[in-house]
Amino acid sequence: MQVLYFAWVRERIGLPREEIETTAETVNDLIAELRTREARYDMAFADTTALRVALDQELSEFDAPLKGVREVAFFPPMTGG
Amino acid sequence: MIRVQAMPFDSGGELNIFSASVAGAGAVVSFTGLVRDVSGGLSSIEIEHYPGMTEKALGAIRADAMQRWDLADALIIHRFGALDVGETIMMVATASRHRKDAFEAAEFLMDYLKSRAPFWKREVTADGADWVASRAEDEDALKRW
């Protein structure tokens, strides 16, 4: 699946998107998997209360299943307007 | 109509076009957001967004407003990219036969734009650049609706 990062999440991880092969069943599982990769992922995902997630471009929850999802995006709370 | 663009726009001109297109409505309310220098020393802002999701989210927010209130039309224009102090960031406009519907729907659009549309602002000063933190009040504002 495509994993996208925005704003400071993108800066901390150091890239805007990447293709990830995973068997993670939920967003939380995916985060746990990413955190084991490298310190920059571990840091970016240290506090999920400071993060939001979108699955296929719809805001979602961290316990949501990933089955069938093609695009996951992580970002801080939005500041539009 | 929804527009997401890097290009500057003339909110007055857009409002005239919108008003002319809903001539039968009788009431038009608009809000325009400008880049402001709150603490002094701001040189510009940068707005990042999530192409694809942005248009979807704005479309859903607009559709929700059209359903909740008696509106002839609703317009949202939001910019991304680099903006100087004083530049127009975004505007919303609503048209209705009833003043109350037009006002309420415009406030609803603004409240949802703040925390449910995937935009992130970064303030650039001489000392560097910082992401703007979301405010609890903006999240609380949604409870009204």
Side-chain angles (χ1 to χ4, degrees):
Chain A
M1 66 180 63
Q2 283 287 315
V3 181
L4 282 67
Y5 310 109
F6 291 95
W8 60 254
V9 185
R10 171 179 55 73
E11 290 180 333
R12 268 180 216 183
I13 290 171
L15 72 176
R17 64 161 66 213
E18 59 186 322
E19 177 74 29
I20 288 178
E21 296 293 331
T22 179
T23 54
E25 285 184 8
T26 67
V27 176
N28 278 325
D29 293 345
L30 175 63
I31 290 174
E33 193 181 302
L34 289 171
R35 290 189 69 178
T36 63
R37 280 184 156 193
E38 281 177 58
R40 58 195 168 109
Y41 288 94
D42 193 34
M43 267 177 55
F45 290 107
D47 178 12
T48 51
T49 64
L51 292 177
R52 300 291 180 268
V53 62
L55 301 182
D56 289 330
Q57 305 190 349
E58 298 272 354
L59 272 181
S60 193
E61 302 296 329
F62 287 96
D63 58 3
L66 290 177
K67 192 171 162 53
V69 171
R70 289 183 302 186
E71 189 171 292
V72 179
F74 293 105
F75 41 78
M78 296 158 273
T79 53
Chain B
M1 189 172 42
I2 303 293
R3 268 167 43 199
V4 182
Q5 61 186 56
M7 231 194 321
F9 65 92
D10 167 18
S11 56
E14 296 293 347
L15 184 58
N16 286 339
I17 294 166
F18 179 77
S19 300
S21 74
V22 289
V28 171
V29 165
S30 77
F31 175 89
T32 304
L34 312 172
V35 180
R36 60 174 176 170
D37 186 2
V38 182
S39 47
L42 185 72
S43 51
S44 64
I45 67 163
E46 286 164 13
I47 301 174
E48 182 170 330
H49 81 118
Y50 182 172
M53 180 173 167
T54 308
E55 290 79 0
K56 267 193 193 173
L58 294 181
I61 293 167
R62 179 185 174 280
D64 202 359
M66 295 292 291
Q67 203 178 16
R68 285 179 186 224
W69 287 278
D70 180 13
L71 300 179
D73 201 1
L75 169 73
I76 304 173
I77 305 177
H78 204 301
R79 288 178 64 194
F80 60 89
L83 284 81
D84 290 331
V85 173
E87 276 194 70
T88 299
I89 302 175
M90 49 74 58
M91 75 176 286
V92 302
T94 54
S96 174
R97 288 180 298 161
H98 314 288
R99 178 183 66 205
K100 194 164 175 278
D101 285 64
F103 270 116
E104 280 187 10
E107 279 202 81
F108 170 89
L109 291 176
M110 282 311 306
D111 283 347
Y112 271 82
L113 268 173
K114 284 253 167 221
S115 45
R116 289 293 182 275
F119 291 101
W120 300 276
K121 289 197 194 91
R122 179 156 63 172
E123 293 183 337
V124 183
T125 65
D127 298 329
D130 263 324
W131 293 101
V132 173
S134 63
R135 302 184 317 159
E137 303 96 273
D138 291 338
E139 192 62 34
D140 290 345
L142 301 185
K143 293 181 186 143
R144 246 180 98 183
W145 308 110

